[in-house]
Amino acid sequence: YLGLTWVLTLAVGPVGIVLANAANIGIRIGISVGIINHPFQECRLEKPQRGLYPDNDILFLLLSTATCLQLSEIYLYFWHPAIHFGIGALLFVIVTLAVVLKEEFIFIFVLENVRRLIGKEKKD
């Protein structure tokens, strides 16, 4: 890592530090995936990383949101930045709600914590 940082800093200046950090993170992720997959090599069950891929509906929502925000930045940002910010905030809430409702374990986790907080407030 240090050698790569030195070489890239000499080659491209301060951007080299960012590139070396990106390479370091990529290498760490690759090693982690290898370590996680090792115990499952002979297992016929599904690979553990399969759960990291988003479902098609969430993927479509993320791509639609990105497209909408890009168009908002191109056409609305210069006219009125607050409108662009509002659209971004609204889409953030929509995507967050969609993911929470789609993934049951997140929804259950949120409900349990809300119930616990409400129970503490009633006792006080």
Side-chain angles (χ1 to χ4, degrees):
Y1 168 73
L2 292 175
L4 185 62
T5 303
W6 181 69
V7 169
L8 287 174
T9 303
L10 290 176
V12 292
V15 176
I17 296 172
V18 175
L19 294 175
N21 282 330
N24 185 21
I25 290 171
I27 292 168
R28 286 174 181 242
I29 290 171
I31 291 170
S32 296
V33 167
I35 290 171
I36 291 169
N37 279 335
H38 182 69
F40 294 95
Q41 282 178 345
E42 296 178 18
C43 183
R44 294 178 189 213
L45 298 175
E46 198 171 322
K47 299 290 182 197
Q49 279 82 21
R50 284 285 200 198
L52 297 176
Y53 300 132
D55 291 339
N56 288 339
D57 50 354
I58 296 295
L59 188 60
F60 178 73
L61 181 64
L62 289 170
L63 292 173
S64 300
T65 300
T67 302
C68 182
L69 285 175
Q70 185 63 41
L71 291 172
S72 171
E73 181 180 353
I74 292 170
Y75 295 111
L76 296 177
Y77 179 74
F78 296 109
W79 179 59
H80 207 302
I83 294 175
H84 172 66
F85 179 79
I87 290 172
L90 177 66
L91 290 176
F92 173 77
V93 168
I94 290 171
V95 169
T96 302
L97 284 174
V99 169
V100 166
L101 293 175
K102 176 77 176 173
E103 302 295 335
E104 291 179 21
F105 69 94
I106 298 174
F107 186 65
I108 292 169
F109 175 76
V110 169
L111 278 179
E112 287 175 354
N113 286 325
V114 167
R115 287 180 183 158
R116 190 172 348 128
L117 288 174
I118 291 173
K120 284 183 180 180
E121 288 178 5
K122 287 183 179 180
K123 290 179 183 178
D124 293 338

